[in-house]
């Protein structure tokens, strides 16, 4: 059977009058009502204070706007709506894994990226070149001369050295709140400045994805450079930096109202331009960039339609509304993927310990119907790839695409494992949360649960909670063993880091995928292979792990952006759930 009972995609309810008025006010004002920033005058400097554990930021002291380049820059503003400001910290190690929308605007990365024949490729950035030692443990790179910070000072090798130490040093676990800083701190053995423009990062073991991980082409922004401070960790200095961040990125911050807006101005001295030897000028072609916090998708759509905003992440279901208002939908290819991860299956007491059970679940997911019913078809979602590995990723092959929908095969495997018709299987709990990157993740989990109930006879139950609570449950405890984590994540230009985190190292982490000695050994062998054979070796390892079915790939999402009529051109990069390539935006006069 292929009719999945009573399941239907959720539809919007009619809003009450009070809520509707509130939404209209958000559209008119560009964001939710902001709390009054708390600032104290002290020797002419505003202080940033904490209220209820949340950072409240006063309007930053403006940086003098450099003289604008003549002719090419539109004097207008682009208003960009987002669904979350994360915790509004301006330092990646303190941003808890969020902050892409503003962190990437303010800061410049060691390694840049661009679009080559539809795929995202690494390019020199602040680092002019890089290389890895034969044993894969030491990465050497050279720092570019001529890069400026927003305050007009030169970016130096010492600034890069400090930034890496701040993001990876032994003190990091005492202050980092999440993201890549914590994992990198455990992997890095030492960082050395070995010459006037040369730095060497040495890892405790072979690590061959350093260049992608420290680039702007991954789902973290650990690879940015800050001006060095007196200490690697100083809470007062970090709070002051939240108020007045000084980066080397394409924009600098001129106004920040917590939980409401951030306003940026174009940085005319941004390093990526022909004057510094680049073939392309990646300085924005407009003057002002404004981020507004608008959590509700319906309000973002209304704002773009009314001309209150220019760009916003939306759902594909809004396409007709957007186009009727003179706008269009632009897709960012391969923005995020989503999976069902089976937890703790190395424990023999759980049904998923048997590979036949895992594969039965894998065969009994009607991904094509889910794509068309929940996500609007292949423009928005593709049933391709495996976890991080999508068509633009190193090591991709069509053989990695998800299992075909074959419920007969699923029932056969489940029966062979000793659970005919779901008998004696027990309850299968699926944990998930609403995602800011991919819409309808809880609905997709319900869709999959209904298929498993109907086709396999398994009592599957979806439990939706807050992201932080589920991560705490699955990462820190064994309480979800024998259960399923249904979540999305960033795509990657080089997915081999999953060999470390999910299959090779971090062997004791509760939410890793496998402790099978054969798979662990395969991951360990593969991650140290370099040179011409690396991509083939990665493909072979990924295929083995895909067939093991510890992670059931659902597909990847192309991120739909509502773009208003003022935006004449914009070409977002693939492999990004955040805004990219803002220099390709041109505005109507």
């Amino acid at each position: 059977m292929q009719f999945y009972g009573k399941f239907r995609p959720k539809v919007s309810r009619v809003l009450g009058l009070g809520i509707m008025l509130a939404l209209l006010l958000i559209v008119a004002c560009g964001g939710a009502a902001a709390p009054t920033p708390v600032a104290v005058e002290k020797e002419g400097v505003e202080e940033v204070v904490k209220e209820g554990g949340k950072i409240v930021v006063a309007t930053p002291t403006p940086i003098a706007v450099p003289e604008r380049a003549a002719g090419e820059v539109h004097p207008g503003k682009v208003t960009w709506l987002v669904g979350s400001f994360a915790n509004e910290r301006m330092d990646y190690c303190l941003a808890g894994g969020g902050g892409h929308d503003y962190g990437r605007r303010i800061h410049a990365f060691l390694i840049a990226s661009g679009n080559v024949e539809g795929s995202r490729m690494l390019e020199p950035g602040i680092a002019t070149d890089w290389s890895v030692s034969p044993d894969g443990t030491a990465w050497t790179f050279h720092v570019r001369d001529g890069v400026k910070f927003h305050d007009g000072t030169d970016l130096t090798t010492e600034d890069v050295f400090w930034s890496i130490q701040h993001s990876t040093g032994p003190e990091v676990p005492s202050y980092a709140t999440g993201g890549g800083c914590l994992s990198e701190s455990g992997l890095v053995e030492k960082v050395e400045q070995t010459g006037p423009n040369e730095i060497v990062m040495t890892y405790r073991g072979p690590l061959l994805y350093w260049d992608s991980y420290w680039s702007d082409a991954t789902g973290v922004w650990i690879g940015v450079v800050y001006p060095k401070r007196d200490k690697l960790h100083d809470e007062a200095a970090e709070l002051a930096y939240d108020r007045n961040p000084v980066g080397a990125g394409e924009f600098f911050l001129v106004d920040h109202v917590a939980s409401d807006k951030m306003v940026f101005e174009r940085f005319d001295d941004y390093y990526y331009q022909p004057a510094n030897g680049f073939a392309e000028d990646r300085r924005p072609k407009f003057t002002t960039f404004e981020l507004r916090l608008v959590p509700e998708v319906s309000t973002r759509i209304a704002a773009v339609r009314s001309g209150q905003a220019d760009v916003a992440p939306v759902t594909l279901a809004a396409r007709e509304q957007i186009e009727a208002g003179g706008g269009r939908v632009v897709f960012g290819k391969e923005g995020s993927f989503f999976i069902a991860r089976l937890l703790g299956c190395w424990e023999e007491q759980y049904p998923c310990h048997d590979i036949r059970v895992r594969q039965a679940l894998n065969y009994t997911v009607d991904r094509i119907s889910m794509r068309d019913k929940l996500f609007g078809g292949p423009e928005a979602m593709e049933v391709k790839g495996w976890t991080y590995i999508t068509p633009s990723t190193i090591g991709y092959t069509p053989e990695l695409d998800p299992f075909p929908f074959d419920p007969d095969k699923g029932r056969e495997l489940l029966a062979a494992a000793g659970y005919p018709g779901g008998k004696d299987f027990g309850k299968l709990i699926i944990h998930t949360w609403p995602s800011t990157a991919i819409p309808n993740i809880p609905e997709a989990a319900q869709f999959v649960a209904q298929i498993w109930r109907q086709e396999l006879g398994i009592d599957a139950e979806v439990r939706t909670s807050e992201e932080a609570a589920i991560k705490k449950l699955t990462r820190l405890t064994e309480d979800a063993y024998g259960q399923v984590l249904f979540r999305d994540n960033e795509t990657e230009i080089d997915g081999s880091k999953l060999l470390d985190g999910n299959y090779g190292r971090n062997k004791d982490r509760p939410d890793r995928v496998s402790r099978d000695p054969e798979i662990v050994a395969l991951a360990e062998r593969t991650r140290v292979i370099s040179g011409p054979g690396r991509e083939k070796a990665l493909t072979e390892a990924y295929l083995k792990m895909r067939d093991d079915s510890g992670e059931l790939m659902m597909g990847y999402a192309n991120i739909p952006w509502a773009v208003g009529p003022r935006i004449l051109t914009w070409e977002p990069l693939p492999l990004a759930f955040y805004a990219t390539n803002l220099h390709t935006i041109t505005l109507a006069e």
Side-chain angles (χ1 to χ4, degrees):
M1 295 178 67
Q2 296 188 32
F3 177 74
Y4 302 122
K6 298 180 180 179
F7 176 79
R8 294 289 187 277
K10 290 185 179 179
V11 296
S12 299
R13 301 292 193 266
V14 177
L15 296 173
L17 178 60
I19 297 175
M20 180 61 78
L21 289 173
L23 294 179
L24 291 174
L25 283 171
I26 293 173
V27 173
C29 300
T36 302
V38 178
V40 179
E41 286 293 332
K42 184 177 180 180
E43 297 181 358
V45 179
E46 292 173 317
E47 289 188 350
V48 179
V49 301
K50 295 181 178 179
E51 278 191 350
K54 181 168 184 173
I55 300 299
V56 181
V57 188
T59 300
T61 305
I63 297 172
V65 179
E67 183 177 349
R68 304 199 185 283
E72 64 177 2
V73 181
H74 192 290
K77 175 177 70 174
V78 170
T79 300
W80 198 290
L81 307 184
V82 295
S84 171
F85 271 0
N87 64 6
E88 305 189 44
R89 303 302 300 268
M90 302 297 170
D91 181 317
Y92 175 71
C93 287
L94 307 175
H100 291 269
D101 296 301
Y102 50 85
R104 291 172 179 271
R105 304 284 75 81
I106 296 169
H107 301 100
F109 285 76
L110 281 174
I111 299 174
S113 65
N115 194 330
V116 178
E117 297 181 354
S119 293
R120 200 160 179 187
M121 304 293 289
L122 300 182
E123 300 174 349
I126 291 174
T128 58
D129 59 87
W130 54 93
S131 60
V132 63
S133 62
D135 66 358
T137 61
W139 286 83
T140 301
F141 62 93
H142 296 91
V143 177
R144 183 180 304 279
D145 288 324
V147 179
K148 296 283 188 183
F149 283 117
H150 295 155
D151 60 3
T153 60
D154 291 327
L155 184 152
T156 67
T157 304
E158 287 73 22
D159 294 312
V160 176
F161 182 60
W162 184 93
S163 298
I164 294 174
Q165 289 183 307
H166 170 70
S167 300
T168 67
E171 296 179 41
V172 164
S174 69
Y175 57 84
T177 56
C181 294
L182 289 173
S183 59
E184 282 291 284
S185 177
L187 299 176
V188 175
E189 180 176 317
K190 60 182 177 179
V191 182
E192 302 169 284
Q193 184 174 337
T194 52
N197 291 77
E198 184 177 272
I199 291 177
V200 178
M201 286 186 68
T202 303
Y203 286 83
R204 302 183 190 282
L207 188 142
L208 296 173
Y209 56 81
W210 174 86
D211 50 356
S212 65
Y213 197 66
W214 286 78
S215 77
D216 68 5
T218 189
V220 298
W221 48 285
I222 191 173
V224 303
V225 179
Y226 313 97
K228 65 180 179 181
R229 300 194 284 266
D230 292 337
K231 297 179 181 179
L232 292 178
H233 170 53
D234 181 294
E235 186 173 356
E238 289 155 2
L239 290 170
Y241 190 77
D242 288 336
R243 179 173 61 84
N244 271 324
V246 177
E250 59 196 346
F251 291 98
F252 55 87
L253 185 68
V254 295
D255 190 17
H256 178 192
V257 179
S259 302
D260 181 13
K261 69 177 181 178
M262 298 185 194
V263 183
F264 307 84
E265 293 290 325
R266 178 184 189 267
F267 182 41
D268 288 346
D269 284 334
Y270 180 54
Y271 79 94
Y272 207 113
Q273 55 175 295
N276 292 326
F278 290 95
E280 185 178 25
D281 191 341
R282 292 190 180 174
R283 292 175 297 175
K285 297 178 178 64
F286 54 92
T287 300
T288 305
F289 183 74
E290 182 174 23
L291 285 175
R292 303 295 298 228
L293 177 60
V294 182
E296 302 83 5
V297 174
S298 60
T299 309
R300 297 200 293 266
I301 294 167
V304 173
R305 289 194 63 187
S306 67
Q308 299 279 345
D310 297 302
V311 184
V314 294
T315 60
L316 190 62
R319 186 172 195 166
E320 290 186 7
Q321 290 177 272
I322 295 161
E323 291 174 348
R328 66 191 188 280
V329 173
V330 172
F331 287 94
K333 299 293 186 180
E334 304 172 52
S336 299
F337 69 91
F338 61 113
I339 56 170
R341 177 180 294 174
L342 307 179
L343 301 170
C345 294
W346 49 81
E347 300 285 351
E348 294 185 6
Q349 67 266 35
Y350 301 116
C352 65
H353 179 74
D354 193 319
I355 189 174
R356 292 171 295 185
V357 170
R358 302 195 298 273
Q359 291 185 342
L361 295 171
N362 211 348
Y363 275 113
T364 317
V365 178
D366 189 352
R367 297 168 174 88
I368 300 299
S369 292
M370 178 170 61
R371 178 196 71 188
D372 295 342
K373 290 177 183 293
L374 285 178
F375 296 95
E379 265 194 313
M381 175 189 163
E382 293 277 4
V383 182
K384 292 182 180 179
W386 174 72
T387 68
Y388 295 92
I389 317 305
T390 59
S392 294
T393 301
I394 299 169
Y396 171 79
T397 171
E399 296 175 83
L400 280 169
D401 291 347
F403 280 31
F405 179 52
D406 189 344
D408 291 334
K409 180 71 172 177
R411 285 188 286 270
E412 176 187 331
L413 286 166
L414 196 66
Y419 305 99
K423 185 177 183 297
D424 298 326
F425 192 95
K427 185 182 289 293
L428 181 61
I429 297 170
I430 304 171
H431 298 278
T432 191
W433 64 76
S435 167
T436 58
I438 301 181
N440 296 336
I441 289 291
E443 289 84 354
Q446 291 283 4
F447 187 93
V448 171
Q450 179 63 28
I451 301 175
W452 287 344
R453 286 193 294 266
Q454 186 160 316
E455 299 289 357
L456 298 177
I458 291 174
D459 182 13
E461 175 188 318
V462 175
R463 295 182 182 176
T464 303
S465 185
E466 295 294 326
E467 178 178 355
I470 295 176
K471 285 184 175 179
K472 182 177 180 180
L473 171 73
T474 57
R475 290 181 176 180
L476 302 180
T477 78
E478 299 179 1
D479 295 344
Y481 276 12
Q483 300 173 16
V484 178
L485 174 61
F486 200 99
R487 64 163 298 174
D488 65 317
N489 212 332
E490 312 82 56
T491 49
E492 297 283 352
I493 193 170
D494 185 341
S496 61
K497 76 172 187 177
L498 73 89
L499 296 177
D500 281 343
N502 295 349
Y503 293 91
R505 291 184 280 192
N506 298 332
K507 296 180 180 64
D508 297 326
R509 185 163 155 170
D511 66 336
R512 65 179 284 111
V513 179
S514 176
R515 290 182 182 171
D516 183 304
E518 181 181 348
I519 289 181
V520 171
L522 174 63
E524 295 284 2
R525 289 195 307 270
T526 304
R527 69 180 179 82
V528 302
I529 297 173
S530 61
R534 181 169 182 259
E535 184 165 0
K536 183 175 183 291
L538 287 173
T539 300
E540 291 173 353
Y542 296 154
L543 285 168
K544 173 68 175 177
M545 295 164 189
R546 175 255 196 192
D547 291 345
D548 188 65
S549 296
E551 294 178 291
L552 316 184
M553 176 65 162
M554 300 294 131
Y556 67 79
N558 297 323
I559 306 300
W561 302 90
V563 176
R566 292 182 63 246
I567 307 293
L568 298 180
T569 63
W570 177 43
E571 301 171 6
L573 290 170
L575 301 177
F577 58 91
Y578 43 82
T580 59
N581 260 11
L582 297 190
H583 67 280
T584 65
I585 290 178
T586 56
L587 294 177
E589 293 298 331

